[in-house]
Amino acid sequence: MRFIKKYIAALYLTNRFYLMLLLCIILFVISFFIPVIFTAVQMVLVIFILLTITDYIFVFVLGKPPDAKRIIADRLSNGDENTITLIVKNNLPFTVDMEIIDELPVQFQKRDWKKLFRIKANAQKQIEYKLRPVERGEYGFGRIILYVISMLALVKKRHNINATQIVSVYPSYLQMRRYQLLSQTIIQTEQGNRRMRKIGHSMEFEQIKEYVRGDDVRSVNWKATARKASLMVNNYTDEKSQQVYCVIDKGRLMKMPFGGLTLLDYAINSTLVLANVCLQKQDKIGLMTFANKMGSLLAADRKPFQRENILQLLYNQQTTFLESDYEMLYMQIRSRIKQRSLIVLYTNFESLSGLNRQLNYLRSIARHHLLLVVYFENTELHKLTKTDARDIEDVYIKTIAEKFEFEKRLIVKELKKHGILSILTSPQALTINTVNKYLELKARQAI
């Protein structure tokens, strides 16, 4: 059984073999009408059989089987291009062609992944390719399958290399690293930098120093002035260790997909980036999730392991198909978040009536905290508004799309009227817009 498995079951015939066999058949048919060439055709068949046997010996008998291994990170980043590396070594004493098949996780639904390359004797080759997962969870990689083909290319041998591996896909930590530079004190935009006017006066004391021309006379410390017999002023620095809570809605509206990812995944990736920026700014960052009932809660903290805590908590979050309970959310925030904080609420409103049903609860939250509501543009509706109408049906569809898009903009004005900050953004621009808004509020000392 082992003999059959090693020397017969792994044998595959190439396209060249079948073409040569077809050529021999055609020549034998021709020799039936032209008997003179029959002996020559027999010689061609014998040569073909000898070449096949020789090729079989090259591939199955000479040298050792090839080696292959897969190099992959312990974690993959959701929604990003992740690099996978395959290292293949040819242990045969001659140059061969190889077909390599990597059995990808079922989530990618790829059944035609194959690479063909040539590798010299006793040489090693490195192959890189990229995968973009669009959902969190565990991904199982299977075997690495190699087909070895000699230069004659009449037969090939299959090698199954056991490389099964389970890899977890986490929220986008690659995006988190990409936006680390945004923790600077200026606001970063794709168009450039802009200055922000402060709306308050920082009251976090740093030191007492001698007065120099240009210092704010309102900061004169009269007690220190009396002791030193010269003007002394208090020096203040930007306040730190302020609380920021990211609140993620897991209701049915967050299941809507854009670019392969759901709105919930976009919100989770943005939360991870914002948490990293907040920790770099020495603010305390916390997390809360909710739907029809309360989800996870992580108290605000700025310790180094808080980033890992947030990453692990976000890993298992799933969308529900029920309506979100904002009354319950308000009660939880009132009972669990005692200190005034910046509440970044990731949610979605498709219409003004949908907002009005929850507006009283949002206003109640805004009375005790600085509330920032982040919701999404419907990019498909936006595309419809830009298309040309060719008939009455297109006019009707375009009009309805413009109506819903206009209501999205009305939601911004309605929230602003009640003193609630908001961001209306496309899913792709969610992270940069949210981080910029946080930095703007931080620069204005609005938190």
Side-chain angles (χ1 to χ4, degrees):
M1 182 62 68
R2 291 184 60 186
F3 176 84
I4 295 175
K5 185 176 180 180
K6 182 177 180 180
Y7 292 102
I8 299 177
L11 173 64
Y12 290 81
L13 303 177
T14 65
N15 292 334
R16 181 179 293 182
F17 174 88
Y18 289 109
L19 289 174
M20 294 291 293
L21 182 61
L22 178 62
L23 177 61
C24 291
I25 293 173
I26 293 173
L27 290 175
F28 271 105
V29 172
I30 295 174
S31 67
F32 179 79
F33 300 100
I34 309 175
V36 176
I37 66 171
F38 181 73
T39 303
V41 173
Q42 286 181 316
M43 292 298 297
V44 170
L45 178 60
V46 171
I47 293 172
F48 170 62
I49 294 173
L50 291 175
L51 288 176
T52 303
I53 294 173
T54 303
D55 197 15
Y56 181 89
I57 294 172
F58 283 164
V59 174
F60 280 80
V61 179
L62 299 179
K64 298 179 180 179
D67 297 323
K69 64 179 179 178
R70 181 192 305 112
I71 299 177
I72 185 172
D74 295 333
R75 300 173 177 175
L76 296 183
S77 180
N78 190 29
D80 297 316
E81 296 287 346
N82 298 267
T83 300
I84 316 296
T85 303
L86 297 176
I87 298 179
V88 182
K89 184 179 180 182
N90 175 24
N91 293 319
L92 294 171
F94 49 85
T95 300
V96 297
D97 292 326
M98 283 192 186
E99 291 180 8
I100 183 168
I101 298 175
D102 194 2
E103 293 185 340
L104 302 181
V106 66
Q107 289 91 335
F108 293 105
Q109 290 297 304
K110 285 187 176 182
R111 298 293 180 267
D112 57 350
W113 194 97
K114 182 169 63 175
K115 299 289 183 181
L116 178 63
F117 57 91
R118 179 166 293 179
I119 182 169
K120 295 181 179 180
N122 299 311
Q124 183 172 284
K125 191 172 184 66
Q126 181 173 301
I127 302 169
E128 290 187 354
Y129 66 96
K130 296 185 181 296
L131 292 177
R132 180 179 180 264
V134 293
E135 59 183 78
R136 287 162 286 115
E138 291 187 342
Y139 285 56
F141 287 82
R143 302 168 299 175
I144 299 175
I145 302 173
L146 295 176
Y147 290 94
V148 177
I149 309 169
S150 74
M151 301 306 294
L152 294 175
L154 294 174
V155 300
K156 56 184 178 181
K157 183 179 180 181
R158 171 171 171 156
H159 298 271
N160 296 326
I161 298 174
N162 185 16
T164 56
Q165 191 174 4
I166 302 296
V167 180
S168 297
V169 174
Y170 277 77
S172 179
Y173 58 85
L174 293 181
Q175 195 177 96
M176 177 184 68
R177 297 169 185 169
R178 193 180 306 134
Y179 286 104
Q180 278 186 341
L181 293 177
L182 289 176
S183 59
Q184 300 172 358
T185 56
I186 53 177
I187 307 301
Q188 304 287 334
T189 65
E190 294 181 359
Q191 290 77 24
N193 303 332
R194 55 194 176 95
R195 296 181 179 274
M196 300 307 304
R197 180 178 63 86
K198 293 185 178 181
I199 62 175
H201 180 64
S202 176
M203 295 302 294
E204 186 163 316
F205 177 78
E206 184 179 29
Q207 64 177 354
I208 300 175
K209 68 181 187 68
E210 291 188 4
Y211 173 84
V212 295
R213 181 171 296 185
D215 285 342
D216 189 351
V217 295
R218 294 175 297 176
S219 300
V220 173
N221 187 322
W222 295 108
K223 292 183 179 179
T225 298
R227 289 195 299 268
K228 295 284 291 185
S230 62
L231 279 177
M232 305 293 292
V233 294
N234 293 332
N235 198 24
Y236 298 96
T237 184
D238 290 341
E239 294 185 41
K240 300 175 182 178
S241 298
Q242 297 162 316
Q243 286 195 163
V244 179
Y245 273 88
C246 294
V247 181
I248 301 177
D249 181 1
K250 300 192 298 181
R252 61 180 180 84
L253 292 177
M254 298 295 283
K255 188 67 175 178
M256 191 179 298
F258 287 97
L261 295 174
T262 64
L263 295 184
L264 177 63
D265 284 314
Y266 281 108
I268 285 173
N269 291 344
S270 175
T271 297
L272 190 61
V273 174
L274 181 60
N276 187 54
V277 174
C278 290
L279 291 173
Q280 288 186 338
K281 300 292 287 183
Q282 300 184 32
D283 280 340
K284 297 178 180 179
I285 181 70
L287 180 64
M288 182 182 292
T289 64
F290 77 104
N292 61 310
K293 58 183 180 181
M294 192 62 191
S296 304
L297 174 65
L298 182 64
D301 204 337
R302 63 174 182 145
K303 294 179 180 178
F305 55 78
Q306 185 74 348
R307 184 186 296 106
E308 183 65 23
N309 291 340
I310 292 174
L311 181 64
Q312 293 295 338
L313 191 146
L314 291 174
Y315 173 69
N316 291 318
Q317 300 301 321
Q318 298 296 332
T319 313
T320 65
F321 293 92
L322 301 173
E323 195 73 23
S324 299
D325 189 346
Y326 281 81
E327 181 182 5
M328 179 270 302
L329 174 65
Y330 166 68
M331 297 300 295
Q332 291 293 329
I333 289 177
R334 284 290 291 145
S335 63
R336 301 196 182 194
I337 306 178
K338 302 298 184 181
Q339 179 182 337
R340 176 177 168 82
S341 308
L342 169 62
I343 306 292
V344 182
L345 174 59
Y346 292 93
T347 186
N348 196 31
F349 298 110
E350 286 298 325
S351 64
L352 192 59
S353 60
L355 170 68
N356 289 332
R357 289 196 298 270
Q358 317 298 345
L359 186 58
N360 288 334
Y361 305 119
L362 296 179
R363 291 174 60 188
S364 298
I365 296 173
R367 279 197 292 268
H368 305 281
H369 303 277
L370 181 61
L371 178 60
L372 172 61
V373 177
V374 183
Y375 66 107
F376 298 89
E377 294 177 353
N378 193 321
T379 53
E380 297 300 320
L381 288 179
H382 183 71
K383 291 178 183 177
L384 287 175
T385 61
K386 299 300 181 182
T387 57
D388 296 330
R390 299 181 180 180
D391 51 35
I392 297 299
E393 183 180 357
D394 289 345
V395 172
Y396 176 77
I397 293 174
K398 186 174 181 178
T399 302
I400 297 299
E402 289 176 348
K403 173 183 177 296
F404 279 105
E405 192 176 44
F406 179 68
E407 282 200 14
K408 287 276 190 178
R409 295 193 295 270
L410 284 181
I411 291 173
V412 175
K413 295 183 178 180
E414 186 69 16
L415 291 171
K416 185 177 181 180
K417 185 171 68 174
H418 296 285
I420 301 173
L421 302 174
S422 63
I423 299 176
L424 174 60
T425 178
S426 64
Q428 294 82 357
L430 170 65
T431 300
I432 186 67
N433 289 337
T434 306
V435 172
N436 276 348
K437 191 66 175 180
Y438 162 75
L439 294 175
E440 175 188 335
L441 297 173
K442 188 75 175 173
R444 297 172 62 193
Q445 298 179 357
I447 305 176

